[in-house]
Amino acid sequence: MPDATARAGANVALVKYWGKRDEERNLPAVGSISITLGDLVATARVRVGDTGAARFLGGGEVVSGTAADRMAAYLDWLGPQLGTNERLTTEVEATFPVGAGLASSAAIHCAVAVAAASALGACVDRSRLSRLARVGSGSAARSIYGGWVEWHRGERDDGEDSGATQLLGEDTWPLAMVVAIVHDGPKEVPSRDAMRHVARTSALYAAWIEAQPDDLAAMRTAIAARDLTAVGTIAEENCLRMHAITFAARPPVLYWAPATLAAMEAVRGLRTRGCEAYFTIDAGPQVKVLCSPQNVDTVAETMAAVPGVVRTLRSTLGGGAEVLEGPTPWK
Ligand code: DP6
C-alpha cells in the first residue's frame, strides 16, 4: 500500500477571504493575501488503498463528526483528480490547537493534498496543488507557498484561475507573529457556516466585496515596499471590516471574547510606546500580532500579561509545503 508524508504551515490572512462565489468548488467571492507560518505546522500521512482503516486520524485518534465527514468527502474527490479510484486515508498531526480559529484546516488540507499527490506518484506543480487544496478548505490554497501569498479570486466557473501565487519569499522580509490564545476550545461557529450566513443576511456584505480590491492593491504595494506600517494598518482595517459585516449578520455572529478586545488594546498600547505591532483576528477569539523579529519578545510578554490571555504562541514566516517521505510531485 503506497503512502507518503507531507507538511504545510498554517497561514494567517492579512487581507481576508470571507464569502464564496461557489460553495462546492470553494471559489472565493474576494481575493486574499496571507503570510505562511513556519512554527504552526500540520503533517499528513496519506495511504492509498487501505480499505480497513479509519479515513481520518488526528493525533493518533479517530476523528469523527463534521471534520471527519468533510475530510472523507475531500479524499473521495481528491483521488480521482490525481488519477486513482482507490480509497485514500489520512493521519494528521499539528503543532498547534486544531479548530480554534488558528487556520488548522488550511495547513491540514494542504498537507493532505501534497501527501496524496506524492503517495500516488503524481506529477503536479504547486499551482495545481494550490487549486486542489482549495477544494478541501479555501484558505489551504495559500499554504502551498511560503512567505507572502495571494490567493486570486478568479473569474472562471471551473476555478482553474483561482489558486495562489507567492508575492515574496519568507526570507526576503523576515517578520514574526505572536498568537494570543484567549480560548482553547473549538470555535463556536465554523468559518464555512459563518461565511454563508453573513453573505445571505448581512446588510454590509456588498460593501465588503466592493472594498476588497482596493485593500488587495494597497497591500501588494505595501508588501513590495516592505512597509510594515502600511501592511499593519491595512491588515487591521481589513480585519475589522470582516468582523463588522459578521456582527451585522442576522442573527449576528460574534467571534470576540472580552480578552480579544483587551488584546487589541494592548497592541495599540505597544504602538504608542514605539513598538510596531498590528493585530488581526480570524473566525475565533484569538488575536494574532504581526511585528518585526526584534520586537517579538516585547510583544509576546505584553500579550501574555493581558487578562484573559491563556498563553501565547510565536512564529516566524515559514516556507511552502514540503514532502517529508515520498516522491516530490513538482519539478
Ligand atoms: C477568517 O478557509 O476555513 O480565516 O473555505 O469554508 O474551508 P472554508 O473556510 P476557511 O476560512 C478562512 C476564513 C478566515 C480568513 C482567511 O483565512 O482568509
Side-chain angles (χ1 to χ4, degrees), residues 17 19 45 66 129 149 189 192 195 201 204 217 230 244 248 275:
Y17 151 51
R45 179 174 188 211
T66 313
L129 280 165
V149 181
V189 187
R192 181 160 295 195
M195 266 185 220
T201 67
L204 305 183
C275 174

Side-chain angles (χ1 to χ4, degrees), residues 109-201:
H109 284 89
C110 185
V112 165
V114 174
S118 174
L120 289 162
C123 182
V124 192
D125 62 14
R126 282 190 190 263
S127 164
R128 173 140 188 260
L129 280 165
S130 169
R131 285 175 271 129
L132 291 174
R134 183 201 76 219
V135 175
S137 181
S139 51
R142 299 182 306 236
S143 279
I144 198 82
Y145 295 106
W148 300 78
V149 181
E150 176 164 3
W151 170 24
H152 304 274
R153 177 191 184 279
E155 299 296 328
R156 290 173 56 151
D157 290 343
D158 64 6
E160 287 302 295
D161 56 354
S162 184
T165 51
Q166 189 183 53
L167 294 173
L168 212 59
E170 61 276 17
D171 299 324
T172 317
W173 186 25
L175 285 176
M177 184 154 266
V178 172
V179 182
I181 310 265
V182 308
H183 177 69
D184 252 336
K187 61 190 163 198
E188 280 170 22
V189 187
S191 41
R192 181 160 295 195
D193 301 343
M195 266 185 220
R196 182 188 303 123
H197 174 67
V198 167
R200 286 185 187 156
T201 67

Side-chain angles (χ1 to χ4, degrees), residues 13 16-18 20 26 70 105 137-139 142 191-192 195 242 282-283:
K16 308 281 185 202
Y17 151 51
W18 199 245
K20 303 186 198 230
N26 261 341
R70 211 174 123 181
S105 73
S137 181
S139 51
R142 299 182 306 236
S191 41
R192 181 160 295 195
M195 266 185 220
M242 180 200 115
D282 291 303

